[in-house]
Amino acid sequence: MAFELSYPLFFLLLLLQLPFSTTAKAHKNISLGSSLNALNKDSFWTSPTEEFAFGFQEIGKHSFLLAIWFNKIPERTIVWSANGNNLVPKGSRVELTEDGQFRLIEFRTGKQIWYADFTGVVYAALLDTENFVMANRNSISLWESFDQPTDTILPTQTLNQGNILFSRYTETNYSRGRFQLTLQDDGNVIFNHDDSVYIESEDGVILRTILSNTFSMQDFYQRATLEYNGVLRYYYVYPKRTSSNMRSPRAWSTSSYIPSNICASISEETGSGACGFNSLCRQDDQGPSCHCPNGYSFIDPNDVLKGCKQDFVSRSCDKTSQETDHFHFEAMQNTDWPNSDYDHFQEVSEDWCRQECLGDCFCAVAIFKTSECWKKRVPLSNGLIDLSLGTKALMKMRKDNSTLK
Ligand SMILES: *[C@@H]1O[C@H](CO)[C@@H](O)[C@H](O)[C@H]1NC(C)=O
Ligand SMILES: *[C@@H]1O[C@H](CO)[C@@H](O)[C@H](O)[C@H]1NC(C)=O
Ligand SMILES: *[C@@H]1O[C@H](CO)[C@@H](O)[C@H](O)[C@H]1NC(C)=O
C-alpha cells in the first residue's frame, strides 16, 4: 500500500515574517572537526535562540535518530531526520570532518549510515528558521536540511518540484511510511506572510488558498506535517510561552488539513483505501481514523494501517457442512465498503438480504439500503463510516468463539 498524494503544485513555500536569507547568518558556528555522540538526552547543537536543536534523539531502547526538533517544548517534536529507516545504536557519531564532510557513523561497525553530499564546507549551523545549513568560506550554504525534507515543512521553507514529503510509518516509527506528497509542475504553493498556504501559478497568480491561519510567528511555533495517515496537516499553534492573555493550551493545536476527507478521496479499484484491508475509515473534526468492524480486530494494534483480521473461523463452503445456524449478523449503521461487492439485488427486504448472505459461504457482509442489497467478500476495501451513506452493514460472524483457535 503506497499512495502518492499529488497536488497541482510546483512549489510549496512556507514563507513567514522571519528575517530570512539562504546564506547562513548564524551566531553559532559548528566548525570543522566538531562531532556529537549519541549518548544521552543532551547530544545536540542548538540554534542561536536555543529554540531548535540538531542532534540525537533516543527512539525506543538504545536506538538513536539524527534529527532536528523544537527544543523548548516538552514534546521535542521532530521536524527532520536523517536515518529514520536506519536507527543507530548508542555511541554512534555525527561529525563534520576536518576535510569538510558531514556524516553519521554507526558505533562499532564504523559504517557510514548517512552523509550530506557536498564539497568545500567550512562550517555548519542550525539557524533560527530551524534550517540546518552547511556553508562555504563566503557563508553561502552548500547544503540545507530545508532541501531534504522528511515529513514536515516549516515557515520560510520552500518545497521545490524535485522534493517529496514522505509520511513516517506510524506516529512513533520514523521509517518511511505509506504516503508521499509530490508537486506537479503547474502551480506553486506559498505559505506566505499572512501565515496561509496557497497555490500559485508559475507566473505568480494566486489560484486557491489551501490552508489559512491567523497566529503570529512571534507567539507560536508552527509547522505543516504529512502525517502517517496521509493527511497534510497544518499545525498552527504551539504557544511559545504561557501568558495570561493567551488561552491556548501549551500543546500543538491543529487546524486545517488536506485532503479534507481522505477516507472518501482515496478510493480506487485496487488497494485497500486510506486504511488497511477489512478496515473502516472515519473522518471527523480531528481528522481521519481507522477502525475495525464488529467481529474483526487490528492485525497490529501499533500499526493500524495494516488492516483488520477476522476474529472467527469463516463459514465452510463444504457442501456437507450445515453451518448456517452458527452464524448471525451484527448491524453497523452508515458503514460501507463501496468496491467490494460481487452481487447486487434490488426490490428486496432486509430480511431477504440477511438470508441471502447467511446462505452464501462467500458472503462476509451484506449492505442494505432502502430496498437494495449488496453482497461483499473479504478482503473488504475502501471501507468507511459516514453519516451521509444511509447504509446498514450486516456483519456476518460466528455466534460463539469456540472454533477460533
Ligand atoms: C562563521 O563562519 C563564517 C565563515 O568562516 C564567518 O564568516 C563567520 O563570522 C562565523 N560566525 C561566527 C559567529 O563565528
Ligand atoms: C518501523 O516500521 C518498519 C516497517 O514495519 C520496521 O521494519 C521497523 O523495524 C520499525 N522501526 C522501529 C524502530 O520499530
Ligand atoms: C468472543 O471473544 C471476545 C473477545 O475475546 C469476547 O469478548 C466475547 O465474550 C466472546 N464471545 C463469546 C460468545 O464467547
Side-chain angles (χ1 to χ4, degrees), residues 230-242:
V231 161
L232 177 68
R233 198 189 285 264
Y234 179 41
Y235 289 83
Y236 60 90
V237 176
Y238 198 113
K240 289 193 180 179
R241 55 204 142 257
T242 352

Side-chain angles (χ1 to χ4, degrees), residues 114-270:
W114 175 87
Y115 71 103
D117 196 9
F118 57 78
T119 52
V121 146
V122 299
Y123 72 98
L126 180 60
L127 309 186
D128 278 328
T129 52
E130 227 170 334
N131 190 9
F132 189 78
V133 300
M134 284 174 255
N136 68 10
R137 195 162 285 109
N138 303 318
S139 289
I140 303 296
S141 67
L142 303 175
W143 187 95
E144 305 187 3
S145 58
F146 271 16
D147 291 336
Q148 317 262 318
T150 49
D151 63 354
T152 298
I153 34 177
L154 296 160
T156 75
Q157 185 167 0
T158 302
L159 197 59
N160 290 305
Q161 204 180 355
N163 297 149
I164 298 173
L165 290 187
F166 288 99
S167 66
R168 53 178 92 145
Y169 197 74
T170 65
E171 196 76 51
T172 52
N173 181 325
Y174 290 81
S175 283
R176 187 165 287 183
R178 296 150 167 112
F179 295 88
Q180 63 184 61
L181 185 142
T182 59
L183 307 173
Q184 292 176 358
D185 52 2
D186 50 358
N188 299 342
V189 168
I190 312 288
F191 187 165
N192 79 342
H193 48 266
D194 300 324
D195 306 356
S196 57
V197 180
Y198 55 87
I199 300 179
E200 187 184 273
S201 67
E202 272 182 274
D203 51 5
V205 179
I206 296 174
L207 302 174
R208 186 163 73 97
T209 301
I210 315 178
L211 303 168
S212 59
N213 172 34
T214 52
F215 290 84
S216 85
M217 276 284 295
Q218 234 155 20
D219 297 326
F220 297 96
Y221 294 120
Q222 309 185 31
R223 68 188 163 101
T225 299
L226 181 64
E227 297 189 331
Y228 76 94
N229 57 18
V231 161
L232 177 68
R233 198 189 285 264
Y234 179 41
Y235 289 83
Y236 60 90
V237 176
Y238 198 113
K240 289 193 180 179
R241 55 204 142 257
T242 352
S243 88
S244 48
N245 61 358
M246 222 179 269
R247 260 169 282 130
S248 323
R250 286 275 289 164
W252 288 109
S253 326
T254 69
S255 58
S256 330
Y257 50 81
I258 47 173
S260 59
N261 184 352
I262 198 170
C263 300
S265 50
I266 293 185
S267 183
E268 292 175 349
E269 295 257 317
T270 58

Side-chain angles (χ1 to χ4, degrees), residues 311 398-402 404:
D311 284 337
R398 224 172 247 281
K399 280 178 184 160
D400 58 65
N401 305 343
S402 56
L404 179 64

Side-chain angles (χ1 to χ4, degrees), residues 280 332-336 384-393:
L280 290 164
M332 298 181 75
Q333 301 295 338
N334 297 308
T335 300
D336 197 7
L384 49 128
I385 303 173
D386 192 314
L387 286 180
S388 69
L389 290 173
T391 51
K392 185 191 267 187

Side-chain angles (χ1 to χ4, degrees), residues 9 44 52 91 127 186 216 268 312 322:
L9 331 170
F44 58 83
F52 309 115
L127 309 186
D186 50 358
S216 85
E268 292 175 349
F312 54 89
Q322 296 293 321

